[in-house]
Amino acid sequence: MSIARKLQPDQGDRLLVIACGMIAREVLAVKEQLGLDHLDLTCLPAEFHFYPDRIAPAMDKAIEKAKADGYRYIFVGYADCGTGGLLDRVCEKHGVERMAGPHCFAFYQGMDAYAKVADDDMMSFYMTDFLCRQFDAFFMKPLGLDRHPELIKDYFGNYEKLVYIAQTDDPELDKVAEKAAKMLGLAYERRSTGYGDLTTELASAAHSR
């Protein structure tokens, strides 16, 4: 997914956010909400959620391309996201910042709020608006649960509850999350978080360029 304009070198006063495809809709929502007209967005594949080892090398190439296209201000729309610090090395190499925190489930809740529940959530399976919309594509089919529901216990047997971190108030997404919890045999909890720290960090990046 790419929604970035190609800039000439003398037009690099815009901010490019290179984000996970899983948060593209949310980045655009914050952009509109805050009136960040000078923010452009390009995304790495959402499926990297399953392949965190691909994130850092892909980000390295994406930043190099962005600089070649004339962007001087770049923000990485990822937390660590399972890269084990490798994404931080890429950020340091290019002198750019990323979202704070271990993953989007943390920054959506806000890092302060997440710190208070992190220990209690150790056995929780998180879902977001994106994962509700893409539940079949991201979980049912790749894990083979649509064909072999008996695998549910193998994949989710160590979880105790499903926590839906809701960015929006959408009854249809609520139904998906509730149905998923029931199917997986997990207790259900809904947390209305909005965009959490995504809003403040994008605002900060946009105004510090």
Side-chain angles (χ1 to χ4, degrees):
M1 176 181 182
S2 179
I3 322 173
R5 314 184 312 170
K6 184 170 183 178
L7 303 182
Q8 297 302 316
D10 60 348
Q11 293 178 309
D13 61 336
R14 298 179 66 81
L15 170 69
L16 177 65
V17 177
I18 306 176
C20 171
M22 287 178 60
I23 69 168
R25 183 190 294 252
E26 288 71 27
V27 171
L28 293 176
V30 171
K31 172 182 177 176
E32 181 177 359
Q33 183 183 85
L34 300 182
L36 303 178
D37 295 333
H38 58 286
L39 184 154
D40 293 329
L41 171 66
T42 191
C43 292
L44 301 184
E47 67 181 22
F48 284 5
H49 176 78
F50 292 124
Y51 309 102
D53 59 305
R54 300 182 186 180
I55 295 173
M59 182 61 68
D60 189 25
K61 292 179 181 178
I63 294 174
E64 289 179 351
K65 180 180 185 303
K67 289 182 174 180
D69 286 345
Y71 283 100
R72 290 180 293 158
Y73 305 101
I74 298 167
F75 184 73
V76 172
Y78 276 88
D80 178 74
C81 296
T83 67
L86 294 180
L87 184 58
D88 284 332
R89 294 184 189 178
V90 172
C91 291
E92 290 170 7
K93 171 185 174 181
H94 293 285
V96 302
E97 299 291 331
R98 68 162 174 86
M99 291 290 305
H103 40 62
C104 65
F105 310 120
F107 69 66
Y108 273 145
Q109 296 182 80
M111 289 306 300
D112 290 341
Y114 175 71
K116 296 177 181 178
V117 300
D119 288 342
D120 289 339
D121 279 0
M122 287 294 291
M123 308 303 290
S124 297
F125 175 68
Y126 285 124
M127 289 187 68
T128 62
D129 283 11
F130 175 91
L131 292 174
C132 284
R133 293 189 184 96
Q134 303 294 330
F135 187 73
D136 286 345
F138 264 67
F139 293 106
M140 295 298 292
K141 293 180 180 178
L143 298 179
L145 302 182
D146 55 335
R147 304 180 303 279
H148 300 286
E150 67 274 11
L151 293 175
I152 288 175
K153 189 172 183 179
D154 294 331
Y155 286 120
F156 297 94
N158 290 325
Y159 291 105
E160 296 176 352
K161 65 179 176 179
L162 184 152
V163 178
Y164 171 30
I165 300 168
Q167 285 72 71
T168 57
D169 292 318
D170 186 331
E172 293 304 312
L173 297 184
D174 291 346
K175 291 178 183 178
V176 172
E178 291 173 3
K179 182 178 179 181
K182 184 176 181 180
M183 181 191 71
L184 299 177
L186 303 176
Y188 177 68
E189 180 182 345
R190 183 186 189 279
R191 298 177 190 165
S192 182
T193 66
Y195 304 121
D197 288 347
L198 182 64
T199 300
T200 54
E201 294 220 24
L202 288 180
S204 178
H207 291 110
S208 64
R209 81 195 199 286

Short mmCIF file of all heavy atoms in Angstrom, two decimals, residues 4-61:
data_model
loop_
_atom_site.label_atom_id
_atom_site.label_comp_id
_atom_site.label_asym_id
_atom_site.label_seq_id
_atom_site.Cartn_x
_atom_site.Cartn_y
_atom_site.Cartn_z
N ALA A 4 1.92 7.76 -0.85
CA ALA A 4 2.87 8.85 -0.79
C ALA A 4 3.05 9.50 -2.15
O ALA A 4 3.11 8.81 -3.16
CB ALA A 4 4.21 8.33 -0.27
N ARG A 5 3.14 10.83 -2.19
CA ARG A 5 3.47 11.52 -3.41
C ARG A 5 4.97 11.41 -3.64
O ARG A 5 5.74 11.44 -2.69
CB ARG A 5 3.14 13.02 -3.30
CG ARG A 5 1.81 13.33 -2.74
CD ARG A 5 1.56 14.83 -2.77
NE ARG A 5 2.69 15.59 -2.24
CZ ARG A 5 2.77 16.91 -2.35
NH1 ARG A 5 1.84 17.59 -2.96
NH2 ARG A 5 3.80 17.57 -1.83
N LYS A 6 5.38 11.35 -4.90
CA LYS A 6 6.80 11.40 -5.17
C LYS A 6 7.22 12.86 -5.20
O LYS A 6 6.66 13.66 -5.95
CB LYS A 6 7.15 10.71 -6.50
CG LYS A 6 8.65 10.68 -6.75
CD LYS A 6 9.00 9.79 -7.92
CE LYS A 6 10.51 9.74 -8.10
NZ LYS A 6 10.92 8.86 -9.20
N LEU A 7 8.20 13.21 -4.37
CA LEU A 7 8.62 14.59 -4.23
C LEU A 7 9.94 14.83 -4.94
O LEU A 7 10.77 13.95 -5.06
CB LEU A 7 8.79 14.95 -2.75
CG LEU A 7 7.56 14.76 -1.86
CD1 LEU A 7 7.89 15.22 -0.45
CD2 LEU A 7 6.37 15.52 -2.39
N GLN A 8 10.14 16.05 -5.38
CA GLN A 8 11.42 16.48 -5.89
C GLN A 8 12.29 16.87 -4.69
O GLN A 8 11.78 17.20 -3.62
CB GLN A 8 11.25 17.67 -6.83
CG GLN A 8 10.43 17.33 -8.07
CD GLN A 8 11.03 16.19 -8.86
OE1 GLN A 8 12.24 16.16 -9.06
NE2 GLN A 8 10.21 15.26 -9.32
N PRO A 9 13.62 16.86 -4.84
CA PRO A 9 14.48 17.15 -3.71
C PRO A 9 14.20 18.48 -3.03
O PRO A 9 14.43 18.62 -1.84
CB PRO A 9 15.88 17.11 -4.34
CG PRO A 9 15.75 16.14 -5.47
CD PRO A 9 14.37 16.39 -6.02
N ASP A 10 13.72 19.48 -3.75
CA ASP A 10 13.47 20.79 -3.16
C ASP A 10 12.06 20.88 -2.57
O ASP A 10 11.62 21.95 -2.18
CB ASP A 10 13.67 21.90 -4.19
CG ASP A 10 12.73 21.77 -5.38
OD1 ASP A 10 12.08 20.71 -5.52
OD2 ASP A 10 12.64 22.72 -6.17
N GLN A 11 11.36 19.78 -2.51
CA GLN A 11 10.01 19.77 -1.94
C GLN A 11 9.95 18.88 -0.69
O GLN A 11 8.88 18.42 -0.32
CB GLN A 11 9.00 19.25 -2.98
CG GLN A 11 8.83 20.19 -4.17
CD GLN A 11 7.87 19.62 -5.20
OE1 GLN A 11 8.01 18.49 -5.63
NE2 GLN A 11 6.89 20.43 -5.57
N GLY A 12 11.07 18.66 -0.07
CA GLY A 12 11.13 17.71 1.02
C GLY A 12 10.73 18.26 2.37
O GLY A 12 11.20 17.77 3.40
N ASP A 13 9.87 19.25 2.41
CA ASP A 13 9.42 19.79 3.69
C ASP A 13 8.23 19.02 4.25
O ASP A 13 7.75 19.33 5.34
CB ASP A 13 9.07 21.27 3.58
CG ASP A 13 7.95 21.53 2.59
OD1 ASP A 13 7.76 20.69 1.68
OD2 ASP A 13 7.26 22.56 2.72
N ARG A 14 7.75 18.04 3.53
CA ARG A 14 6.64 17.23 4.01
C ARG A 14 7.15 16.11 4.91
O ARG A 14 8.34 15.79 4.91
CB ARG A 14 5.85 16.64 2.83
CG ARG A 14 5.23 17.71 1.93
CD ARG A 14 4.48 17.09 0.76
NE ARG A 14 3.31 16.34 1.22
CZ ARG A 14 2.14 16.89 1.53
NH1 ARG A 14 1.98 18.20 1.48
NH2 ARG A 14 1.12 16.14 1.92
N LEU A 15 6.24 15.55 5.69
CA LEU A 15 6.58 14.42 6.57
C LEU A 15 6.06 13.14 5.94
O LEU A 15 4.88 13.04 5.62
CB LEU A 15 5.95 14.61 7.95
CG LEU A 15 6.05 13.40 8.89
CD1 LEU A 15 7.49 13.18 9.33
CD2 LEU A 15 5.12 13.57 10.10
N LEU A 16 6.93 12.17 5.80
CA LEU A 16 6.52 10.86 5.32
C LEU A 16 6.47 9.89 6.49
O LEU A 16 7.46 9.72 7.21
CB LEU A 16 7.49 10.32 4.27
CG LEU A 16 7.17 8.90 3.76
CD1 LEU A 16 5.84 8.87 3.01
CD2 LEU A 16 8.29 8.35 2.90
N VAL A 17 5.33 9.27 6.68
CA VAL A 17 5.18 8.20 7.66
C VAL A 17 5.26 6.87 6.91
O VAL A 17 4.46 6.63 6.01
CB VAL A 17 3.85 8.31 8.43
CG1 VAL A 17 3.69 7.14 9.39
CG2 VAL A 17 3.78 9.63 9.19
N ILE A 18 6.21 6.04 7.30
CA ILE A 18 6.33 4.70 6.73
C ILE A 18 5.80 3.75 7.79
O ILE A 18 6.45 3.52 8.81
CB ILE A 18 7.79 4.35 6.36
CG1 ILE A 18 8.38 5.41 5.44
CG2 ILE A 18 7.85 2.97 5.69
CD1 ILE A 18 9.86 5.19 5.12
N ALA A 19 4.62 3.21 7.55
CA ALA A 19 3.91 2.51 8.61
C ALA A 19 3.59 1.06 8.25
O ALA A 19 3.64 0.66 7.08
CB ALA A 19 2.61 3.25 8.94
N CYS A 20 3.21 0.32 9.27
CA CYS A 20 2.65 -1.01 9.08
C CYS A 20 1.29 -0.88 8.40
O CYS A 20 0.49 -0.02 8.76
CB CYS A 20 2.50 -1.68 10.44
SG CYS A 20 1.58 -3.23 10.40
N GLY A 21 1.04 -1.75 7.43
CA GLY A 21 -0.25 -1.70 6.74
C GLY A 21 -1.44 -1.91 7.66
O GLY A 21 -2.55 -1.51 7.35
N MET A 22 -1.19 -2.50 8.84
CA MET A 22 -2.27 -2.74 9.79
C MET A 22 -2.79 -1.46 10.42
O MET A 22 -3.90 -1.45 10.97
CB MET A 22 -1.80 -3.69 10.89
CG MET A 22 -1.66 -5.13 10.44
SD MET A 22 -1.05 -6.21 11.78
CE MET A 22 -2.34 -5.99 13.01
N ILE A 23 -2.01 -0.37 10.35
CA ILE A 23 -2.46 0.87 10.98
C ILE A 23 -2.68 1.99 9.96
O ILE A 23 -2.82 3.15 10.34
CB ILE A 23 -1.49 1.34 12.09
CG1 ILE A 23 -0.15 1.81 11.51
CG2 ILE A 23 -1.27 0.23 13.12
CD1 ILE A 23 0.72 2.54 12.53
N ALA A 24 -2.73 1.64 8.68
CA ALA A 24 -2.88 2.66 7.64
C ALA A 24 -4.15 3.48 7.81
O ALA A 24 -4.12 4.72 7.75
CB ALA A 24 -2.87 1.99 6.26
N ARG A 25 -5.27 2.81 8.01
CA ARG A 25 -6.54 3.50 8.17
C ARG A 25 -6.49 4.46 9.36
O ARG A 25 -7.00 5.58 9.30
CB ARG A 25 -7.67 2.48 8.37
CG ARG A 25 -9.06 3.08 8.49
CD ARG A 25 -10.06 2.02 8.93
NE ARG A 25 -10.24 0.99 7.92
CZ ARG A 25 -11.34 0.86 7.17
NH1 ARG A 25 -12.35 1.69 7.33
NH2 ARG A 25 -11.44 -0.10 6.30
N GLU A 26 -5.84 4.02 10.42
CA GLU A 26 -5.78 4.82 11.63
C GLU A 26 -4.86 6.04 11.46
O GLU A 26 -5.16 7.13 11.95
CB GLU A 26 -5.30 3.95 12.80
CG GLU A 26 -6.33 2.94 13.29
CD GLU A 26 -6.57 1.79 12.32
OE1 GLU A 26 -5.65 1.46 11.54
OE2 GLU A 26 -7.68 1.21 12.33
N VAL A 27 -3.74 5.86 10.75
CA VAL A 27 -2.86 7.00 10.48
C VAL A 27 -3.61 8.05 9.66
O VAL A 27 -3.54 9.26 9.94
CB VAL A 27 -1.59 6.55 9.74
CG1 VAL A 27 -0.79 7.76 9.26
CG2 VAL A 27 -0.72 5.67 10.63
N LEU A 28 -4.34 7.61 8.67
CA LEU A 28 -5.10 8.55 7.84
C LEU A 28 -6.21 9.23 8.64
O LEU A 28 -6.52 10.40 8.42
CB LEU A 28 -5.68 7.83 6.62
CG LEU A 28 -4.65 7.33 5.61
CD1 LEU A 28 -5.34 6.55 4.49
CD2 LEU A 28 -3.85 8.49 5.03
N ALA A 29 -6.80 8.50 9.57
CA ALA A 29 -7.84 9.09 10.41
C ALA A 29 -7.25 10.18 11.30
O ALA A 29 -7.85 11.25 11.47
CB ALA A 29 -8.51 8.01 11.26
N VAL A 30 -6.08 9.92 11.88
CA VAL A 30 -5.42 10.93 12.71
C VAL A 30 -5.01 12.12 11.85
O VAL A 30 -5.14 13.28 12.28
CB VAL A 30 -4.20 10.32 13.43
CG1 VAL A 30 -3.39 11.41 14.12
CG2 VAL A 30 -4.66 9.28 14.45
N LYS A 31 -4.50 11.85 10.67
CA LYS A 31 -4.13 12.94 9.76
C LYS A 31 -5.31 13.86 9.51
O LYS A 31 -5.18 15.10 9.61
CB LYS A 31 -3.64 12.36 8.42
CG LYS A 31 -3.41 13.42 7.35
CD LYS A 31 -2.97 12.82 6.03
CE LYS A 31 -2.84 13.91 4.97
NZ LYS A 31 -2.32 13.38 3.68
N GLU A 32 -6.47 13.29 9.22
CA GLU A 32 -7.66 14.10 8.97
C GLU A 32 -8.12 14.81 10.24
O GLU A 32 -8.48 16.00 10.21
CB GLU A 32 -8.78 13.22 8.43
CG GLU A 32 -10.06 14.00 8.11
CD GLU A 32 -11.13 13.12 7.51
OE1 GLU A 32 -10.88 11.90 7.34
OE2 GLU A 32 -12.22 13.64 7.23
N GLN A 33 -8.10 14.09 11.34
CA GLN A 33 -8.54 14.64 12.63
C GLN A 33 -7.73 15.85 13.03
O GLN A 33 -8.28 16.85 13.53
CB GLN A 33 -8.44 13.54 13.69
CG GLN A 33 -8.94 13.91 15.07
CD GLN A 33 -8.71 12.77 16.05
OE1 GLN A 33 -7.63 12.63 16.63
NE2 GLN A 33 -9.71 11.92 16.21
N LEU A 34 -6.42 15.81 12.82
CA LEU A 34 -5.54 16.89 13.24
C LEU A 34 -5.22 17.88 12.12
O LEU A 34 -4.50 18.86 12.36
CB LEU A 34 -4.23 16.30 13.79
CG LEU A 34 -4.36 15.37 14.99
CD1 LEU A 34 -2.97 14.91 15.44
CD2 LEU A 34 -5.09 16.04 16.14
N GLY A 35 -5.73 17.62 10.93
CA GLY A 35 -5.47 18.52 9.81
C GLY A 35 -4.01 18.55 9.40
O GLY A 35 -3.47 19.61 9.07
N LEU A 36 -3.38 17.38 9.39
CA LEU A 36 -1.96 17.30 9.04
C LEU A 36 -1.81 17.16 7.52
O LEU A 36 -1.43 16.10 7.00
CB LEU A 36 -1.31 16.12 9.77
CG LEU A 36 -1.43 16.14 11.30
CD1 LEU A 36 -0.79 14.89 11.91
CD2 LEU A 36 -0.79 17.39 11.88
N ASP A 37 -2.08 18.21 6.81
CA ASP A 37 -2.08 18.16 5.35
C ASP A 37 -0.71 17.89 4.76
O ASP A 37 -0.59 17.50 3.60
CB ASP A 37 -2.64 19.47 4.78
CG ASP A 37 -4.11 19.69 5.14
OD1 ASP A 37 -4.82 18.68 5.35
OD2 ASP A 37 -4.53 20.85 5.20
N HIS A 38 0.33 18.15 5.54
CA HIS A 38 1.70 17.96 5.03
C HIS A 38 2.22 16.56 5.33
O HIS A 38 3.40 16.28 5.12
CB HIS A 38 2.64 18.99 5.66
CG HIS A 38 2.68 18.94 7.15
ND1 HIS A 38 1.65 19.40 7.93
CD2 HIS A 38 3.61 18.46 8.01
CE1 HIS A 38 1.96 19.21 9.21
NE2 HIS A 38 3.13 18.64 9.28
N LEU A 39 1.35 15.66 5.80
CA LEU A 39 1.76 14.29 6.12
C LEU A 39 1.41 13.36 4.97
O LEU A 39 0.28 13.34 4.51
CB LEU A 39 1.07 13.83 7.41
CG LEU A 39 1.43 12.46 7.99
CD1 LEU A 39 1.18 12.45 9.50
CD2 LEU A 39 0.62 11.33 7.35
N ASP A 40 2.39 12.62 4.52
CA ASP A 40 2.19 11.58 3.51
C ASP A 40 2.37 10.21 4.17
O ASP A 40 3.07 10.08 5.18
CB ASP A 40 3.18 11.73 2.35
CG ASP A 40 2.94 12.99 1.54
OD1 ASP A 40 1.77 13.42 1.44
OD2 ASP A 40 3.92 13.55 1.03
N LEU A 41 1.76 9.22 3.57
CA LEU A 41 1.81 7.87 4.14
C LEU A 41 2.18 6.84 3.08
O LEU A 41 1.66 6.87 1.97
CB LEU A 41 0.44 7.50 4.74
CG LEU A 41 0.25 6.04 5.19
CD1 LEU A 41 1.16 5.71 6.37
CD2 LEU A 41 -1.21 5.79 5.53
N THR A 42 3.07 5.95 3.44
CA THR A 42 3.34 4.76 2.66
C THR A 42 3.45 3.60 3.64
O THR A 42 3.82 3.81 4.79
CB THR A 42 4.62 4.89 1.80
OG1 THR A 42 4.68 3.81 0.87
CG2 THR A 42 5.86 4.90 2.65
N CYS A 43 3.10 2.40 3.20
CA CYS A 43 3.02 1.28 4.13
C CYS A 43 3.78 0.05 3.66
O CYS A 43 3.83 -0.24 2.46
CB CYS A 43 1.56 0.88 4.36
SG CYS A 43 0.60 2.14 5.25
N LEU A 44 4.34 -0.65 4.62
CA LEU A 44 4.86 -1.99 4.37
C LEU A 44 3.71 -2.98 4.53
O LEU A 44 2.71 -2.67 5.17
CB LEU A 44 5.99 -2.31 5.36
CG LEU A 44 7.20 -1.38 5.34
CD1 LEU A 44 8.27 -1.90 6.30
CD2 LEU A 44 7.77 -1.22 3.95
N PRO A 45 3.83 -4.17 3.96
CA PRO A 45 2.72 -5.13 3.98
C PRO A 45 2.25 -5.48 5.40
O PRO A 45 3.06 -5.74 6.29
CB PRO A 45 3.30 -6.36 3.27
CG PRO A 45 4.35 -5.80 2.37
CD PRO A 45 4.96 -4.66 3.14
N ALA A 46 0.94 -5.50 5.57
CA ALA A 46 0.36 -5.86 6.87
C ALA A 46 0.75 -7.27 7.28
O ALA A 46 0.85 -7.57 8.47
CB ALA A 46 -1.16 -5.73 6.81
N GLU A 47 1.02 -8.13 6.32
CA GLU A 47 1.34 -9.53 6.64
C GLU A 47 2.68 -9.67 7.37
O GLU A 47 2.98 -10.71 7.94
CB GLU A 47 1.38 -10.37 5.37
CG GLU A 47 2.50 -10.03 4.42
CD GLU A 47 2.48 -10.86 3.15
OE1 GLU A 47 1.42 -11.40 2.81
OE2 GLU A 47 3.55 -10.97 2.53
N PHE A 48 3.47 -8.59 7.41
CA PHE A 48 4.72 -8.64 8.17
C PHE A 48 4.44 -8.82 9.66
O PHE A 48 5.36 -9.12 10.42
CB PHE A 48 5.54 -7.36 7.95
CG PHE A 48 6.26 -7.30 6.63
CD1 PHE A 48 6.07 -8.29 5.67
CD2 PHE A 48 7.13 -6.26 6.34
CE1 PHE A 48 6.72 -8.24 4.44
CE2 PHE A 48 7.79 -6.20 5.13
CZ PHE A 48 7.59 -7.18 4.17
N HIS A 49 3.18 -8.63 10.06
CA HIS A 49 2.76 -8.93 11.43
C HIS A 49 3.14 -10.37 11.79
O HIS A 49 3.50 -10.65 12.94
CB HIS A 49 1.25 -8.74 11.55
CG HIS A 49 0.67 -9.10 12.88
ND1 HIS A 49 0.77 -8.29 13.99
CD2 HIS A 49 -0.02 -10.19 13.30
CE1 HIS A 49 0.16 -8.87 15.03
NE2 HIS A 49 -0.32 -10.02 14.63
N PHE A 50 3.09 -11.25 10.81
CA PHE A 50 3.43 -12.66 11.02
C PHE A 50 4.91 -12.95 10.77
O PHE A 50 5.40 -14.03 11.11
CB PHE A 50 2.60 -13.56 10.10
CG PHE A 50 1.14 -13.59 10.45
CD1 PHE A 50 0.18 -13.26 9.50
CD2 PHE A 50 0.71 -13.96 11.71
CE1 PHE A 50 -1.17 -13.31 9.80
CE2 PHE A 50 -0.63 -14.00 12.02
CZ PHE A 50 -1.57 -13.67 11.07
N TYR A 51 5.61 -12.00 10.14
CA TYR A 51 7.01 -12.20 9.77
C TYR A 51 7.85 -11.01 10.22
O TYR A 51 8.38 -10.26 9.40
CB TYR A 51 7.14 -12.38 8.26
CG TYR A 51 6.22 -13.42 7.67
CD1 TYR A 51 5.05 -13.06 7.00
CD2 TYR A 51 6.52 -14.78 7.80
CE1 TYR A 51 4.20 -14.01 6.48
CE2 TYR A 51 5.67 -15.75 7.27
CZ TYR A 51 4.51 -15.36 6.61
OH TYR A 51 3.67 -16.31 6.09
N PRO A 52 7.99 -10.81 11.54
CA PRO A 52 8.69 -9.62 12.04
C PRO A 52 10.14 -9.53 11.58
O PRO A 52 10.71 -8.43 11.56
CB PRO A 52 8.59 -9.76 13.56
CG PRO A 52 8.29 -11.20 13.80
CD PRO A 52 7.48 -11.66 12.63
N ASP A 53 10.73 -10.64 11.17
CA ASP A 53 12.11 -10.60 10.69
C ASP A 53 12.22 -9.84 9.37
O ASP A 53 13.33 -9.42 8.98
CB ASP A 53 12.66 -12.02 10.51
CG ASP A 53 11.84 -12.86 9.55
OD1 ASP A 53 10.61 -12.97 9.76
OD2 ASP A 53 12.40 -13.39 8.57
N ARG A 54 11.11 -9.62 8.70
CA ARG A 54 11.13 -8.90 7.42
C ARG A 54 10.99 -7.39 7.59
O ARG A 54 11.23 -6.63 6.64
CB ARG A 54 9.99 -9.40 6.52
CG ARG A 54 10.05 -10.89 6.21
CD ARG A 54 8.91 -11.30 5.29
NE ARG A 54 8.88 -12.74 5.08
CZ ARG A 54 7.98 -13.37 4.32
NH1 ARG A 54 7.04 -12.67 3.70
NH2 ARG A 54 8.02 -14.68 4.19
N ILE A 55 10.60 -6.96 8.77
CA ILE A 55 10.28 -5.55 8.96
C ILE A 55 11.51 -4.66 8.83
O ILE A 55 11.51 -3.68 8.07
CB ILE A 55 9.61 -5.32 10.34
CG1 ILE A 55 8.25 -6.03 10.38
CG2 ILE A 55 9.42 -3.82 10.60
CD1 ILE A 55 7.59 -6.00 11.76
N ALA A 56 12.57 -4.97 9.58
CA ALA A 56 13.75 -4.10 9.58
C ALA A 56 14.40 -3.96 8.20
O ALA A 56 14.65 -2.84 7.75
CB ALA A 56 14.77 -4.59 10.61
N PRO A 57 14.68 -5.06 7.48
CA PRO A 57 15.28 -4.89 6.15
C PRO A 57 14.37 -4.16 5.18
O PRO A 57 14.85 -3.36 4.35
CB PRO A 57 15.57 -6.33 5.69
CG PRO A 57 14.81 -7.22 6.59
CD PRO A 57 14.63 -6.48 7.87
N ALA A 58 13.05 -4.41 5.27
CA ALA A 58 12.13 -3.70 4.37
C ALA A 58 12.08 -2.22 4.71
O ALA A 58 12.00 -1.36 3.81
CB ALA A 58 10.74 -4.32 4.47
N MET A 59 12.13 -1.90 6.01
CA MET A 59 12.13 -0.50 6.42
C MET A 59 13.40 0.21 5.96
O MET A 59 13.36 1.37 5.54
CB MET A 59 11.97 -0.42 7.94
CG MET A 59 11.91 1.01 8.48
SD MET A 59 10.51 1.99 7.83
CE MET A 59 9.13 1.11 8.62
N ASP A 60 14.51 -0.48 6.05
CA ASP A 60 15.78 0.09 5.61
C ASP A 60 15.68 0.53 4.15
O ASP A 60 16.05 1.65 3.78
CB ASP A 60 16.88 -0.95 5.78
CG ASP A 60 18.28 -0.40 5.56
OD1 ASP A 60 18.48 0.82 5.73
OD2 ASP A 60 19.19 -1.18 5.22
N LYS A 61 15.15 -0.36 3.31
CA LYS A 61 15.00 -0.05 1.89
C LYS A 61 13.98 1.07 1.67
O LYS A 61 14.17 1.93 0.81
CB LYS A 61 14.58 -1.30 1.13
CG LYS A 61 15.65 -2.38 1.07
CD LYS A 61 15.16 -3.61 0.32
CE LYS A 61 16.23 -4.70 0.29
NZ LYS A 61 15.74 -5.93 -0.42
#
